[in-house]
Amino acid sequence: MGKAAYGWMIMKDDNIPGTVVRTSTIPEELGRLVYLLTDKTGTLTQNEMIFKRLHLGTVSYGTDTMDEIQSHIINSYSQVHSQNSGNSTSSTPSRKPQSSAPKVRKSVSSRIHEAVKAIALCHNVTPVYESRAGVSAETEYAEVDQDFSDENRTYQASSPDEVALVQWTESVGLTLVNRDLTSMQLKTPGGHILTYYILQIFPFTSESKRMGIIVRDESSGEITFYMKGADVAMSTIVQYNDWLEEECGNMAREGLRTLVVAKKSLTEEQYQDFESRYNQAKLSIHDRNLKVAAVVESLEREMELLCLTGVEDQLQTDVRPTLEMLRNAGIKIWMLTGDKLETATCIAKSSHLVSRNQDIHIFRPVATRGEAHLELNAFRRKHDCALVISGDSLEVCLKYYEHEFVELACQCPAVVCCRCSPTQKAHIVKLLQHHTGKRTCAIGDGGNDVSMIQAADCGIGIEGKEGKQASLAADFSITQFKHIGRLLMVHGRNSYKRSAALGQFVMHRGLIISTMQAVFSSVFYFASVPLYQGFLMVGYATIYTMFPVFSLVLDQDVKPEMALLYPELYKDLTKGRSLSFKTFLIWVLISIYQGGILMYGALLLFESEFVHVVAISFTALILTELLMVALTIRTWHWLMVVAEFLSLGCYVASLAFLNEYFGIGRVSFGAFLDVAFITTVTFLWKVSAITVVSCLPLYILKYLKRKFSPPSYSKLTS
């Protein structure tokens, strides 16, 4: 019931709206996590790309100077159309310098024109028109009448980066309005439609890290090969330049995902030659992929570098303070992502997963046992530095040096694993559990994180752009990454502390009455006479003590604001001191002490009216229980006070009509409770005396403990 209550409280918390508890059995796990394994794209970032930077070598444009690009584009296209010669005039100057030895430096305007055109053409994006009226009618309509209304258009592509680039070219005036298998149509700022025929397309692969397209301009018949890709892949393909590497580094440090765009003009003969060789390679039976790649590579030489683009995948709101908080709480954060090493490192820095002044050890790619050994030794010599490692190297290390690697990695403040497959993610979780024995938590947003979420002790899913697979497979589902702070610091802490108190109190409640029965029987030569009959036993565990004990689920040692302000308090929880053999034994001793005192007290003080022993001991027992709940509570809630008085009221009321139960075994003594006796001063005095002896020492001990070794949170609450 307590666990169900914690789940209900988490779902009702207005500060973390949309949170769903899918597993009601483990809310306490949230309070003792040591490792948090998180995905990057869509979990730490929003998975929404925004075009931020265009660099042309001599000049760089940022978000604040995009209007300059727009005016250049409008001017260059208006010139082209005023001469009424399609695209040929603007393209001819770009062709001449290629053959002539002395390079003619092109004007900025023509370079922007070329760069924007390349970005608008080199991609795999399809514009989709959705009708207000109905889909089927609209498709015919769009094809027949070519109604390119801007508000109906959305772009579809496999990667959000490409959509961001095409949306940007639309914003500066060159719009992709139509695309099919063989052609693409662009709309200029003046409203003219330019048609390009797609001759070949070379899709992006994770091995090549680049994509290319060969198009023919309808108006001029000119053939151009455009290419864009990662800087690592493109730096060897483009003509020599002195700025690409440096600018890529600068953009990566700003957290931008970079793409290099290049082009090459082809003559009709060059293209025909390429096409025949390409088709020949595609028909070969042996090593087809290698031959096709070789033919494409014959084109990828001395390409003209057009520009470098920077796209930002924005971090989710409040990711930095949340990660900061988790790190201060002593939680070690591992980022497991499928992204490339540079981007992963960069996001790790920008999200403050790795703090500013911290060293980063980038684990060199290793393929053999010897290399892994050398690299591990190099890493061992570094202290307190974050680790960045790729999935392949990780695989090799785990194959030969599993124990050593995990031991070293666990000492790192942060670990970033890039190029990880879903199975690797789950494998890392299991390794941590196996080697450290500590609690792990996995958080992700896509289907590729499901295996990791299910392998962890506690799985958290985020409902993101990639559907609900992760959130449905997880134990807890949240809407934003920042909610994890409150989920762990406040709800995790409270659930763990309350469950510990509740569990130990239930043990105490059962043990104290067992001790009394044992003492009672031993005094009577171990006769098998029950001390409390039917309803008293039932009532003891239910109506008389249920409400106060259950009200412990409302107890909190630290206010939520304090728990969030001082995440260091969370570190104490991971040591597991709230519920351990030590605390269990303390409660056992308390139960034996109190049970013994209550029973012996009742037997000692009631020599004369021995028949009243049940009434006296049971009354003292109920009072003791209520006082013990009051002793355990750290922060009072009005419902707790109500519960205490309600239980006491129930007990007093029941004395009147349950009097037949307050004799010891109706057969053996035949004594019944007389109301007259209960109201006498001696009864009240003696019950009070027994209760005080059983509870006062504990109150004194608690006071002394708080005085001389107060818990860390009490220093903050005082």
Side-chain angles (χ1 to χ4, degrees):
M1 286 170 75
K3 287 175 193 240
Y6 311 142
W8 184 81
M9 286 174 194
I10 293 172
M11 299 214 279
K12 283 280 173 281
D13 188 345
D14 295 333
N15 294 298
I16 46 172
T19 304
V20 181
V21 179
R22 298 190 193 280
T23 312
S24 61
T25 49
I26 56 165
E28 305 84 20
E29 293 290 335
L30 292 171
R32 42 202 296 219
L33 300 172
V34 181
Y35 290 98
L36 176 72
L37 299 103
T38 167
D39 177 38
K40 181 184 77 69
T41 311
T43 303
L44 297 179
T45 63
Q46 294 177 2
N47 210 0
E48 283 177 10
M49 309 298 171
I50 295 170
F51 191 95
K52 284 284 185 187
R53 181 76 48 88
L54 180 74
H55 204 293
L56 300 168
T58 51
V59 56
S60 168
Y61 293 96
T63 36
D64 44 353
T65 47
M66 291 297 176
D67 47 347
E68 288 182 33
I69 297 182
Q70 199 168 357
S71 59
H72 280 302
I73 293 290
I74 291 169
N75 292 340
S76 63
Y77 275 108
S78 58
Q79 284 168 16
V80 173
H81 290 296
S82 64
Q83 290 162 0
N84 263 341
S85 54
N87 229 14
S88 53
T89 46
S90 78
S91 312
T92 16
S94 72
R95 228 163 142 190
K96 278 179 194 150
Q98 202 122 24
S99 49
S100 56
K103 277 252 173 142
V104 182
R105 172 154 279 190
K106 291 194 255 169
S107 71
V108 170
S109 188
S110 72
R111 280 163 56 209
I112 288 177
H113 178 102
E114 283 299 328
V116 173
K117 188 166 76 173
I119 295 170
L121 288 171
C122 183
H123 54 70
N124 229 330
V125 181
T126 310
V128 180
Y129 295 92
E130 290 175 10
S131 70
R132 302 279 185 278
V135 182
S136 57
E138 177 62 28
T139 38
E140 289 168 29
Y141 173 55
E143 282 170 15
V144 176
D145 295 321
Q146 294 291 311
D147 171 51
F148 303 123
S149 55
D150 289 349
E151 53 280 354
N152 274 1
R153 185 188 314 109
T154 52
Y155 294 113
Q156 287 188 353
S158 56
S159 124
D161 298 70
E162 295 208 306
V163 176
L165 293 174
V166 175
Q167 280 173 339
W168 174 77
T169 61
E170 178 182 359
S171 72
V172 294
L174 196 60
T175 312
L176 173 72
V177 288
N178 195 17
R179 176 177 186 144
D180 52 38
L181 290 173
T182 55
S183 68
M184 249 188 282
Q185 287 176 321
L186 303 180
K187 187 166 76 174
T188 65
H192 298 275
I193 300 288
L194 307 174
T195 304
Y196 292 89
Y197 296 116
I198 301 170
L199 303 177
Q200 299 287 351
I201 192 158
F202 314 110
F204 179 88
T205 65
S206 51
E207 287 78 46
S208 68
K209 295 189 174 66
R210 54 186 182 266
M211 66 130 342
I213 189 168
I214 301 178
V215 293
R216 186 202 300 269
D217 185 344
E218 183 193 41
S219 54
S220 67
E222 190 171 279
I223 300 173
T224 318
F225 173 38
Y226 289 109
M227 192 152 205
K228 71 165 188 236
D231 49 314
V232 240
M234 298 291 288
S235 54
T236 53
I237 293 170
V238 296
Q239 293 165 350
Y240 173 76
N241 62 79
D242 53 5
W243 60 273
L244 181 63
E245 195 179 340
E246 185 186 349
E247 285 306 325
C248 280
N250 292 343
M251 284 196 193
R253 279 188 283 280
E254 288 178 44
L256 302 178
R257 296 156 75 106
T258 53
L259 278 175
V260 180
V261 184
K263 76 164 206 176
K264 188 176 193 175
S265 296
L266 304 175
T267 60
E268 190 66 45
E269 300 78 54
Q270 282 175 321
Y271 176 68
Q272 292 303 338
D273 170 50
F274 165 78
E275 192 177 31
S276 62
R277 286 186 296 125
Y278 187 63
N279 289 337
Q280 197 66 43
K282 284 208 285 193
L283 294 174
S284 63
I285 297 167
H286 302 294
D287 302 329
R288 182 183 307 156
N289 290 353
L290 288 173
K291 287 179 183 172
V292 169
V295 174
V296 177
E297 269 172 35
S298 68
L299 270 191
E300 297 171 351
R301 294 203 184 114
E302 286 297 299
M303 294 187 72
E304 182 190 341
L305 173 59
L306 294 176
C307 64
L308 174 66
T309 65
V311 173
E312 181 182 45
D313 183 3
Q314 289 185 308
L315 288 173
Q316 285 201 17
T317 47
D318 292 340
V319 160
R320 290 182 188 129
T322 304
L323 287 175
E324 196 83 27
M325 179 199 293
L326 295 174
R327 217 179 25 248
N328 292 341
I331 295 174
K332 291 186 174 157
I333 304 164
W334 289 38
M335 183 164 93
L336 313 179
T337 171
D339 265 8
K340 66 169 189 265
L341 195 133
E342 295 82 7
T343 319
T345 312
C346 167
I347 294 289
K349 283 179 182 167
S350 62
S351 65
H352 295 190
L353 174 74
V354 178
S355 48
R356 292 274 162 185
N357 48 7
Q358 204 162 52
D359 289 340
I360 295 183
H361 177 79
I362 295 180
F363 211 84
R364 283 186 308 117
V366 295
T368 63
R369 183 173 187 160
E371 287 176 0
H373 183 71
L374 288 171
E375 195 56 27
L376 275 173
N377 281 344
F379 177 45
R380 187 178 272 117
R381 285 194 288 276
K382 294 195 176 180
H383 292 292
D384 193 45
C385 71
L387 171 67
V388 178
I389 185 169
S390 69
D392 306 338
S393 308
L394 183 72
E395 200 73 6
V396 175
C397 289
L398 295 180
K399 188 175 173 186
Y400 299 114
Y401 299 107
E402 183 179 294
H403 186 73
E404 291 83 347
F405 175 77
V406 177
E407 202 175 325
L408 283 173
C410 288
Q411 291 165 7
C412 292
V415 178
V416 177
C417 299
C418 46
R419 294 278 180 228
C420 267
S421 66
T423 40
Q424 264 180 330
K425 290 182 178 185
H427 185 53
I428 293 169
V429 174
K430 291 184 181 126
L431 268 180
L432 282 175
Q433 291 169 331
H434 175 66
H435 280 275
T436 62
K438 299 277 198 298
R439 295 287 187 288
T440 56
C441 170
I443 176 167
D445 73 314
N448 60 339
D449 305 312
V450 169
S451 54
M452 160 173 89
I453 286 172
Q454 290 182 330
D457 294 293
C458 172
I460 299 177
I462 293 183
E463 287 182 24
K465 295 260 182 304
E466 298 183 32
K468 289 196 170 188
Q469 273 173 301
S471 84
L472 289 171
D475 304 309
F476 301 90
S477 162
I478 57 179
T479 51
Q480 283 178 305
F481 184 80
K482 64 176 181 181
H483 293 165
I484 196 175
R486 191 176 175 88
L487 191 65
L488 301 189
M489 300 301 127
V490 177
H491 293 291
R493 177 187 188 86
N494 287 346
S495 302
Y496 176 52
K497 288 271 191 183
R498 290 164 178 173
S499 275
L502 201 58
Q504 299 183 101
F505 219 91
V506 171
M507 292 181 227
H508 163 261
R509 189 174 70 178
L511 206 57
I512 189 169
I513 201 165
S514 313
T515 310
M516 291 174 75
Q517 176 68 54
V519 171
F520 176 76
S521 290
S522 60
V523 167
F524 289 104
Y525 309 104
F526 298 100
S528 57
V529 177
L531 173 59
Y532 301 128
Q533 301 282 322
F535 191 82
L536 284 190
M537 280 302 277
V538 176
Y540 170 68
T542 53
I543 195 163
Y544 299 148
T545 59
M546 165 70 201
F547 300 117
V549 172
F550 190 67
S551 73
L552 286 172
V553 301
L554 299 168
D555 190 22
Q556 54 179 32
D557 54 353
V558 181
K559 286 198 170 66
E561 300 75 41
M562 277 292 175
L564 291 167
L565 189 58
Y566 298 102
E568 290 78 6
L569 291 171
Y570 189 87
K571 278 184 195 168
D572 288 352
L573 303 182
T574 54
K575 295 169 186 163
R577 288 181 181 162
S578 299
L579 183 59
S580 61
F581 282 115
K582 181 183 164 188
T583 58
F584 171 68
L585 289 172
I586 289 172
W587 276 99
V588 168
L589 290 174
I590 290 174
S591 309
I592 292 172
Y593 164 77
Q594 290 187 328
I597 290 287
L598 292 173
M599 202 63 240
Y600 274 117
L603 294 171
L604 280 175
L605 294 176
F606 291 91
E607 290 294 330
S608 49
E609 320 95 337
F610 190 69
V611 285
H612 301 310
V613 97
V614 172
I616 292 148
S617 64
F618 196 76
T619 309
L621 173 65
I622 296 294
L623 289 175
T624 300
E625 273 299 305
L626 297 181
L627 286 172
M628 284 302 288
V629 171
L631 175 72
T632 310
I633 287 172
R634 287 170 285 237
T635 311
W636 282 88
H637 186 283
W638 64 271
L639 280 172
M640 296 174 170
V641 183
V642 169
E644 291 267 332
F645 283 110
L646 183 69
S647 295
L648 195 59
C650 285
Y651 177 67
V652 171
S654 65
L655 282 177
F657 60 85
L658 284 180
N659 57 6
E660 62 183 272
Y661 278 104
F662 285 98
I664 308 173
R666 275 150 288 187
V667 187
S668 52
F669 289 87
F672 293 95
L673 177 80
D674 45 348
V675 181
F677 167 65
I678 291 181
T679 49
T680 57
V681 179
T682 46
F683 170 78
L684 296 173
W685 170 85
K686 290 180 175 180
V687 166
S688 309
I690 298 173
T691 311
V692 166
V693 174
S694 77
C695 290
L696 194 63
L698 298 174
Y699 269 85
I700 294 167
L701 284 172
K702 182 183 178 180
Y703 174 76
L704 291 175
K705 187 170 183 287
R706 280 201 75 125
K707 191 90 178 148
F708 294 113
S709 71
S712 48
Y713 61 82
S714 64
K715 297 164 194 167
L716 300 175
T717 47
S718 58

